[in-house]
Amino acid sequence: MKKLPLSRRVLAVFFPERCAFCDTVVYAGMPVCARCSATLPRQERPLCLRCGLSKSRCTCKSTATVLDAICAPFRYEGAVKHGILRFKENATALTAAHYAKEIAETVKQAFEDVAFDGVTFVPMDKDDFRERGYNQSEWLAREV
C-alpha cells in the first residue's frame, strides 16, 4: 500500500474516509472495504456490448438497441446500488476517483480497439442541480 502524506493521515483521524459502497470507515487512501471488495457483483467477461451484461447473463442475444454498445463494471444490485445512491447524494473525490477507475478499466477491456475522442455526461435538471450543488455524472465523467 502506498504511504499517504502525513496531512492526509491526520485528516483521516478527524474525518475518516468511508467505503464507496457500504459507508463503513476504511483506511485513508483505501476507497473500498475488504468485505465489499470481495463481494461486489462484477460483470463477468466477456460482456455483451448490446445490453452490457456478461454474455452468460445476456438476454438480448445481440438484438438491435438504440445504443451502439454499452458496458459497466458492476451489476446494479446490493452494495453497488447502495454505493451509487450514496454517491448521487454525497459525492466525494475518493469515491468519484474509484468509480472512474473501475469504469475506465472496463471500457479499455471491452473496447480495446477503439480510440475515444471524449467522455460526456447527462445534464441535470436545474432545480436538482441547485438543490444538490453538483452534478455527480459530470464529476464522474471528468474523472474518467
Side-chain angles (χ1 to χ4, degrees):
M1 183 166 81
K2 183 176 136 184
K3 189 167 182 173
L4 296 174
L6 178 62
S7 60
R8 180 135 176 223
R9 288 183 281 155
V10 170
L11 269 176
V13 170
F14 297 103
F15 304 101
E17 294 176 4
R18 300 200 167 265
C19 174
F21 298 99
C22 71
D23 203 31
T24 60
V25 174
V26 294
Y27 294 112
M30 299 294 293
V32 181
C33 71
R35 184 176 57 85
C36 284
S37 184
T39 61
L40 288 174
R42 291 190 177 277
Q43 296 284 28
E44 299 147 11
R45 306 293 189 275
L47 297 176
C48 170
L49 297 180
R50 289 285 180 205
C51 68
L53 295 174
S54 62
K55 291 212 176 177
S56 64
R57 293 173 156 252
C58 172
T59 57
C60 76
K61 304 302 177 209
S62 294
T63 56
T65 63
V66 180
L67 303 172
D68 288 335
I70 187 172
C71 69
F74 308 107
R75 293 186 305 281
Y76 186 67
E77 59 188 53
V80 171
K81 183 176 182 178
H82 177 74
I84 297 295
L85 293 173
R86 273 190 46 250
F87 180 66
K88 286 175 74 172
E89 297 304 320
N90 187 24
T92 66
L94 184 65
T95 304
H98 177 70
Y99 288 159
K101 179 179 173 243
E102 292 282 356
I103 290 167
E105 288 175 6
T106 301
V107 169
K108 280 182 197 176
Q109 289 175 358
F111 303 100
E112 59 189 344
D113 297 333
V114 178
F116 291 93
D117 294 326
V119 175
T120 191
F121 60 94
V122 176
M124 281 181 80
D125 176 78
K126 287 181 184 180
D127 292 335
D128 290 342
F129 183 82
R130 216 178 347 262
E131 182 181 324
R132 191 174 291 156
Y134 64 94
N135 180 343
Q136 76 284 347
S137 61
E138 179 180 5
W139 194 356
L140 192 56
R142 290 183 191 283
E143 287 289 325
V144 169

